[in-house]
Amino acid sequence: AKYCSKSCTDKQWRLDHPTAHRQWQQKNKGKVAVYSRKQRQYRKAEVKEQARKCIAKKKALICLVKLNYGCQNPDCSTGQTELLYLLDFHHICDIKKFLLSDFAQHRFDEIIDEVNKCVVLCAICHRMVHAGDLDVSCISPCRLDELGNIIRK
């Protein structure tokens, strides 16, 4: 038998009886290797799934902000504010930690801080800002709380 009782399988027993545990591992190398390999494979799949869910949550936040704000230029004539791929974030502050298109590599709270420095503009208005034809200083930035909820004034 591997252990004398169920209670011997716990971590504390292994810590209290290191030589007995090592002897068992030496005697059962094949079983230990197979078990370890299966655990690593399972953990790797679990970590990938967690990362996928985390990225999906961040992407949902970005999409939610774009859908709720639409193009914030009051004089916008495109009217295509429900198409997410036509909406861009424009930083109104000069201090920019990262581009919001690189959201997957950053923590949720960092994304919220960065969104709070931006206004949402359609592609045409965004290009007009960078060409100097549109001033966005009068537009208030997006407002999110620390949980990612939109704050309306």
Side-chain angles (χ1 to χ4, degrees), residues 24-91:
W24 181 87
Q25 282 186 320
Q26 289 296 325
K27 195 168 103 179
N28 297 288
K29 279 184 180 177
K31 290 180 184 177
V32 171
V34 169
Y35 177 76
S36 296
R37 192 168 38 252
K38 285 181 181 177
Q39 283 298 101
R40 279 195 306 274
Q41 287 172 348
Y42 173 75
R43 184 68 183 132
K44 192 175 181 181
E46 192 177 79
V47 168
K48 278 185 178 179
E49 181 62 20
Q50 286 175 345
R52 189 191 62 74
K53 285 181 181 177
C54 186
I55 289 172
K57 182 180 174 184
K58 293 172 186 177
K59 187 172 186 168
L61 173 71
I62 298 290
C63 292
L64 180 74
V65 171
K66 285 182 175 182
L67 281 175
N68 278 291
Y69 280 99
C71 183
Q72 290 182 273
N73 177 13
D75 301 327
C76 180
S77 60
T78 61
Q80 299 294 324
T81 58
E82 69 278 350
L83 300 174
L84 292 178
Y85 57 86
L86 290 179
L87 296 173
D88 299 331
F89 285 99
H90 175 72
H91 283 81

Side-chain angles (χ1 to χ4, degrees), residues 48-142:
K48 278 185 178 179
E49 181 62 20
Q50 286 175 345
R52 189 191 62 74
K53 285 181 181 177
C54 186
I55 289 172
K57 182 180 174 184
K58 293 172 186 177
K59 187 172 186 168
L61 173 71
I62 298 290
C63 292
L64 180 74
V65 171
K66 285 182 175 182
L67 281 175
N68 278 291
Y69 280 99
C71 183
Q72 290 182 273
N73 177 13
D75 301 327
C76 180
S77 60
T78 61
Q80 299 294 324
T81 58
E82 69 278 350
L83 300 174
L84 292 178
Y85 57 86
L86 290 179
L87 296 173
D88 299 331
F89 285 99
H90 175 72
H91 283 81
I92 54 173
C93 302
D94 290 335
I95 303 165
K96 175 189 323 190
K97 282 188 181 177
F98 60 93
L99 297 173
L100 282 166
S101 58
D102 299 332
F103 68 88
Q105 302 157 353
H106 297 278
R107 292 190 328 260
F108 200 71
D109 61 328
E110 291 176 328
I111 293 170
I112 291 172
D113 291 343
E114 215 53 36
V115 167
N116 285 336
K117 299 178 199 173
C118 297
V119 294
V120 178
L121 297 170
C122 70
I124 295 171
C125 293
H126 195 200
R127 271 82 186 152
M128 288 171 63
V129 168
H130 285 286
D133 296 337
L134 181 64
D135 181 28
V136 291
S137 61
C138 60
I139 301 173
S140 61
C142 301

